[in-house]
């Protein structure tokens, strides 16, 4: 890193501020199907991203070649792009002077497990699902992704940090068959440690969702209480999460602009983004620009508390950075983003929520989430799930559409489950909403 720093500084000759971000990622993918190993792939990628700043102008370039010539050319391209960039008072660097190695979760035990043993874990996951219900005949594919990531970052103001961490993610499916009908469902989990991925719970959830949707029929159009199963609640929260970000505020692309301190949801609802969450996929001492991580309350008992900021958006909004600068690799600039965003757990069991009204629609899957509008809050989504009457399953339904506005949905929230789960960077328990329009 010292050699890279010297090359960058020699190239800039003290005429520019700069930030260098070096990332090395080793990836392993293991895939199984029909209780046998199907695919193994390994890859490694190393790259350097360089930001240069001068007189509130910014340039950026990246390279995968860390030789002197390539680094020098990368710096030159960054300077050239700066000259083409309009001035913006948000283009500033963090002037913090942290220096050192960050403490990050690192799973040496998980990395050391052989590929054969990892494949056996996936095969056992398929067997677990099949053993739970005779109607589960197998999976389309089950996969495990493993990442070992090394990051080094330093800037011209003395900030210098590094860390090494691990990530694991698992995706599985279950195919259910009965009386000639088929239904398939998917389940996903991730964690910094392989052992943190609860394979037994994955098997239970994927088997439940697949078998529950066998024999699904259409449904009439009506307004009905709805329970979002925790995974579908996570999908909805993640789809609308951009409305909490400083970048959305700067671009005037959020319905929450000007609503700090106002009630925007049910008093039952508290939403938190916590960069310090123990075991969280987005947990680290510092954010991507070296700002200390913290626990940010986004919504507290229905009251919107404020946006999540990077250094840039904090300057533009006359606010303080919240430790929410994220990078999507060395090829990208830092931007505001979620770290570990979740809805605080409630006290009700899923069964409590399903018995709350005479008729309740339990939503297991949502489709079309990319179409939601964080500016207006409007959504219209495909859905499938189960109709419960007096707490008992009446029928499975599919091909329905739920529509409305996210703010109205949050205000109509009348029950929160105790079953909080994190799915990657986002988590939620099951949620009971008093009334949603369901279109047949």
């Amino acid at each position: 890193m010292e050699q890279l720093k010297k090359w960058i500084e020699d190239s800039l000759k003290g005429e520019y501020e700069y930030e260098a971000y070096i990332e090395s990622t080793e990836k392993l993918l293991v895939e199984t199907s029909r209780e046998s190993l199907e695919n193994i792939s390994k890859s490694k990628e190393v790259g350097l991203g360089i930001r240069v700043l001068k007189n509130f102008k910014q340039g950026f370039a990246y390279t995968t070649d860390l030789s002197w010539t390539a680094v020098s050319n990368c710096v030159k391209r960054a300077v050239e792009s700066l000259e083409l960039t309009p001035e913006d008072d948000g283009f500033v660097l963090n002037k913090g002077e942290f220096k050192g190695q960050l403490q990050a979760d690192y799973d040496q035990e998980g990395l050391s497990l052989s590929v054969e043993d990892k494949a056996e874990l996936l095969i056992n996951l398929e067997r677990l699902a099949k053993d739970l219900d005779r109607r589960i005949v197998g999976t389309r594919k089950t996969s495990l992704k493993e990442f070992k990531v090394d990051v080094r970052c330093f800037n011209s103001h003395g900030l210098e940090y590094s860390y090494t961490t691990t990530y694991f993610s698992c995706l599985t499916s279950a195919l259910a068959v009965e009386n000639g009908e088929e239904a398939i469902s998917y389940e996903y989990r991730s964690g910094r440690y392989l052992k943190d991925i609860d394979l037994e719970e994955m098997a239970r959830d994927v088997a439940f969702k697949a078998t529950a949707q066998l024999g699904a029929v259409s449904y009439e159009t009506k307004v009905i209480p709805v329970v979002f199963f925790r995974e579908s609640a996570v999908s909805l929260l993640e789809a609308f999460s951009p409305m909490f970000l400083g970048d959305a505020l700067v671009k005037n692309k959020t319905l929450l602009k000007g609503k700090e301190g106002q009630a925007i949801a049910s008093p039952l609802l508290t939403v938190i983004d916590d960069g310090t969450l123990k075991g969280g996929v987005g947990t680290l001492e510092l954010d991507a620009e070296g700002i200390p991580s913290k626990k940010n309350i986004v919504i507290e008992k229905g009251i919107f508390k404020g946006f999540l900021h990077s250094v840039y958006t904090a300057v533009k909004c006359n606010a303080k950075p919240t430790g929410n600068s994220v990078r999507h690799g060395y090829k990208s600039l830092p931007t505001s983003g979620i770290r570990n965003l979740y809805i605080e757990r409630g006290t009700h069991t899923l069964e409590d929520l399903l018995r709350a009204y005479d008729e309740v629609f339990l939503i297991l899957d949502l489709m079309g989430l990319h179409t939601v509008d964080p500016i207006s809050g409007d959504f219209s989504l495909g859905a499938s799930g189960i109709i419960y009457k007096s707490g008992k399953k009446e029928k499975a339904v599919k091909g329905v559409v739920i529509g409305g506005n996210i703010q109205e949905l949050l205000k109509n929230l009348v029950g929160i489950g105790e079953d909080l789960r994190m799915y990657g960077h986002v988590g939620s328990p099951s949620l009971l909403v008093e009334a949603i329009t369901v279109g047949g």
Side-chain angles (χ1 to χ4, degrees):
M1 188 158 66
E2 289 303 317
Q3 185 67 68
L4 275 174
K5 185 185 296 185
K6 184 178 186 305
W7 290 347
I8 293 168
E9 292 180 348
D10 287 349
S11 298
L12 292 173
K13 300 175 182 177
E15 296 178 9
Y16 299 86
E17 300 174 80
Y18 73 86
E19 175 194 76
Y21 181 87
I22 306 102
E23 184 178 83
S24 171
T25 302
E26 296 178 38
K27 177 182 174 182
L28 169 68
L29 172 65
V30 181
E31 294 177 318
T32 61
S33 181
R34 297 181 179 86
E35 297 189 33
S36 62
L37 180 61
E38 186 174 82
N39 179 48
I40 301 170
S41 65
K42 292 183 178 181
S43 62
K44 182 174 182 178
E45 186 175 20
V46 181
L48 162 68
I50 298 176
R51 271 202 296 166
V52 296
L53 297 93
K54 186 176 183 179
N55 298 329
F56 298 113
K57 300 177 76 173
Q58 176 174 273
F60 177 73
Y62 65 86
T63 178
T64 58
D65 184 347
L66 302 188
S67 68
W68 151 245
T69 301
V71 171
S72 179
N73 287 336
C74 185
V75 172
K76 183 180 179 181
R77 293 198 309 273
V79 171
E80 289 172 348
S81 69
L82 177 147
E83 300 301 334
L84 301 173
T85 304
E87 288 186 18
D88 188 326
D89 61 1
F91 290 152
V92 296
L93 292 176
N94 174 23
K95 293 180 172 59
E97 295 186 359
F98 178 92
K99 286 189 177 184
Q101 178 86 15
L102 302 182
Q103 298 297 315
D105 290 313
Y106 184 79
D107 186 5
Q108 182 59 51
E109 181 182 349
L111 292 175
S112 300
L113 200 65
S114 69
V115 170
E116 291 76 17
D117 286 340
K118 288 166 182 168
E120 190 61 28
L121 285 176
L122 301 182
I123 291 168
N124 283 335
L125 172 56
E126 181 178 353
R127 291 169 179 160
L128 279 170
K130 291 168 68 175
D131 288 345
L132 287 169
D133 196 299
R134 61 171 181 78
R135 294 170 293 178
I136 302 294
V137 298
T139 63
R140 294 274 175 88
K141 186 173 290 185
T142 300
S143 65
L144 176 70
K145 291 181 180 179
E146 169 188 295
F147 299 87
K148 177 188 173 187
V149 182
D150 288 286
V151 169
R152 305 288 184 270
C153 184
F154 54 88
N155 71 21
S156 52
H157 293 288
L159 174 72
E160 189 173 311
Y161 69 84
S162 60
Y163 64 89
T164 302
T165 192
T166 51
Y167 302 90
F168 298 85
S169 65
C170 184
L171 175 69
T172 192
S173 60
L175 178 65
V177 178
E178 186 176 42
N179 298 327
E181 287 194 36
E182 294 184 357
I184 191 166
S185 188
Y186 297 87
E187 193 67 22
Y188 170 83
R189 292 288 194 282
S190 66
R192 291 291 185 89
Y193 293 86
L194 180 57
K195 64 183 179 183
D196 289 344
I197 298 177
D198 190 335
L199 299 179
E200 291 186 7
E201 184 177 75
M202 284 185 71
R204 288 196 300 271
D205 283 358
V206 77
F208 164 64
K209 290 189 298 179
T211 56
Q213 294 177 80
L214 285 167
V217 296
S218 58
Y219 191 66
E220 68 268 28
T221 297
K222 65 190 299 186
V223 177
I224 186 174
V226 164
V227 171
F228 290 91
F229 187 62
R230 56 183 181 247
E231 186 181 2
S232 59
V234 163
S235 298
L236 196 63
L237 176 62
E238 184 172 19
F240 277 104
S241 64
M243 70 183 183
F244 302 131
L245 301 181
D247 274 282
L249 178 59
V250 169
K251 296 173 184 176
N252 199 26
K253 292 186 175 181
T254 171
L255 62 87
L256 298 178
K257 183 177 181 179
K259 294 187 178 180
E260 294 93 329
Q262 296 182 23
I264 65 163
S266 162
L268 297 175
L269 182 69
T270 293
V271 179
I272 295 168
D273 185 79
D274 189 357
T276 67
L277 182 69
K278 184 177 180 181
V281 172
T283 297
L284 201 65
E285 289 176 66
L286 304 177
D287 73 1
E289 293 182 273
I291 300 296
S293 301
K294 58 184 290 194
K295 180 178 181 179
N296 295 295
I297 299 178
V298 181
I299 300 174
E300 184 174 28
K301 297 180 179 178
I303 306 297
F304 178 52
K305 305 300 287 186
F307 293 91
L308 303 171
H309 288 294
S310 64
V311 170
Y312 175 82
T313 64
V315 172
K316 299 299 290 183
C317 300
N318 194 26
K320 292 182 179 180
T322 59
N324 282 89
S325 178
V326 300
R327 280 185 185 263
H328 303 292
Y330 66 88
K331 297 179 183 178
S332 69
L333 287 162
T335 184
S336 61
I338 59 173
R339 302 286 299 280
N340 299 297
L341 182 73
Y342 64 93
I343 293 174
E344 200 170 58
R345 74 174 74 243
T347 58
H348 299 288
T349 65
L350 179 59
E351 290 71 25
D352 292 337
L353 301 179
L354 296 173
R355 288 194 298 262
Y357 295 90
D358 289 339
E359 186 176 31
V360 174
F361 179 26
L362 173 64
I363 294 179
L364 297 176
D365 283 307
L366 291 171
M367 291 146 278
L369 287 154
H370 63 285
T371 66
V372 305
D373 188 349
I375 304 173
S376 68
D378 293 337
F379 64 89
S380 180
L381 302 169
S384 60
I386 308 168
I387 298 295
Y388 282 79
K389 286 198 173 180
S390 301
K392 295 183 179 180
K393 178 181 176 179
E394 183 186 60
K395 58 185 175 183
V397 296
K398 63 179 180 180
V400 301
V401 175
I402 63 167
N405 185 277
I406 189 62
Q407 202 165 332
E408 293 175 4
L409 184 151
L410 297 179
K411 286 182 176 179
N412 287 330
L413 187 64
V414 292
I416 298 180
E418 61 183 5
D419 55 340
L420 169 64
R421 296 291 185 279
M422 296 297 296
Y423 296 81
H425 291 266
V426 186
S428 179
S430 297
L431 305 175
L432 172 62
V433 180
E434 187 174 25
I436 291 182
T437 300
V438 177

